[in-house]
Amino acid sequence: MPQQTTEIRAASFADLDTRTFHDLLKLRIDVFVVEQNCPYPELDGRDVEPSTRHLWLTDGDAPLAYLRILADPDGAARIGRVAVAPKARGGGQAGRLMTAALDLVGNRPCVLEAQSHLVGFYARHGFAVSGPEYVEDGIPHTPMHRQLIDV
């Protein structure tokens, strides 16, 4: 898949059309619920919050990678639901999307709950482990944070 044909898009829930939101949810469910065999409440109410930003990488038809940025009550940005379609894995798409997300987050503190096998990936984007590993839905996770960057 040539990288030049893909583009990164960002939108609030109010700016998403029905088909796009459907396709983003399908990618999330395909990866987290079906592939990882983790039945959990994927629709948690946070997608529709006015401050939530949905970011995805598309080849024009369907999303190849996705993440969302939430606003935590303490002002930190929370990155979550990072998913890459199987056909797009191994080509740096998650890294492109994470870079775009951190550009959007800017200098705010940022947190995430990494699947533990991805700690190294997030560390390359400036995140550090911030707590002990725990198991959620049968998958080891590690809390991570990115400190405020002085400009």
Side-chain angles (χ1 to χ4, degrees), residues 21-42:
F21 189 59
H22 167 275
D23 292 348
L24 297 175
L25 285 179
K26 182 172 181 350
L27 174 61
R28 287 172 21 183
I29 291 167
D30 285 350
V31 170
F32 298 122
V33 178
V34 177
E35 180 183 335
Q36 295 182 354
N37 194 25
C38 290
Y40 72 102
E42 171 58 24

Side-chain angles (χ1 to χ4, degrees), residues 26-79:
K26 182 172 181 350
L27 174 61
R28 287 172 21 183
I29 291 167
D30 285 350
V31 170
F32 298 122
V33 178
V34 177
E35 180 183 335
Q36 295 182 354
N37 194 25
C38 290
Y40 72 102
E42 171 58 24
L43 294 176
D44 60 3
R46 306 249 11 225
D47 290 315
V48 301
E49 293 175 0
S51 59
T52 297
R53 290 297 166 263
H54 302 272
L55 273 73
W56 68 100
L57 184 78
T58 182
D59 65 359
D61 297 338
L64 300 174
Y66 168 88
L67 63 76
R68 71 179 182 184
I69 304 170
L70 305 174
D72 274 0
D74 64 2
R78 176 172 296 280
I79 293 177

Side-chain angles (χ1 to χ4, degrees), residues 4-150:
Q4 6 351 337
T5 64
T6 61
E7 67 177 292
I8 294 174
R9 297 185 184 166
S12 67
F13 177 77
D15 294 329
L16 290 172
D17 62 60
T18 307
R19 180 59 193 227
T20 300
F21 189 59
H22 167 275
D23 292 348
L24 297 175
L25 285 179
K26 182 172 181 350
L27 174 61
R28 287 172 21 183
I29 291 167
D30 285 350
V31 170
F32 298 122
V33 178
V34 177
E35 180 183 335
Q36 295 182 354
N37 194 25
C38 290
Y40 72 102
E42 171 58 24
L43 294 176
D44 60 3
R46 306 249 11 225
D47 290 315
V48 301
E49 293 175 0
S51 59
T52 297
R53 290 297 166 263
H54 302 272
L55 273 73
W56 68 100
L57 184 78
T58 182
D59 65 359
D61 297 338
L64 300 174
Y66 168 88
L67 63 76
R68 71 179 182 184
I69 304 170
L70 305 174
D72 274 0
D74 64 2
R78 176 172 296 280
I79 293 177
R81 301 294 204 268
V82 181
V84 179
K87 71 178 185 176
R89 291 181 188 154
Q93 307 309 336
R96 286 184 62 209
L97 198 57
M98 184 60 63
T99 297
L102 293 175
D103 285 347
L104 221 135
V105 166
N107 272 352
R108 291 185 312 174
C110 188
V111 298
L112 55 81
E113 305 296 319
Q115 289 189 4
S116 295
H117 71 279
L118 295 171
V119 164
F121 167 78
Y122 292 113
R124 289 190 295 277
H125 289 278
F127 286 85
V129 172
S130 59
E133 183 179 72
Y134 62 94
V135 175
E136 182 175 331
D137 297 320
I139 298 173
H141 284 73
T142 302
M144 300 185 80
H145 73 285
R146 180 176 149 250
Q147 291 291 6
L148 180 66
I149 301 169
D150 293 328

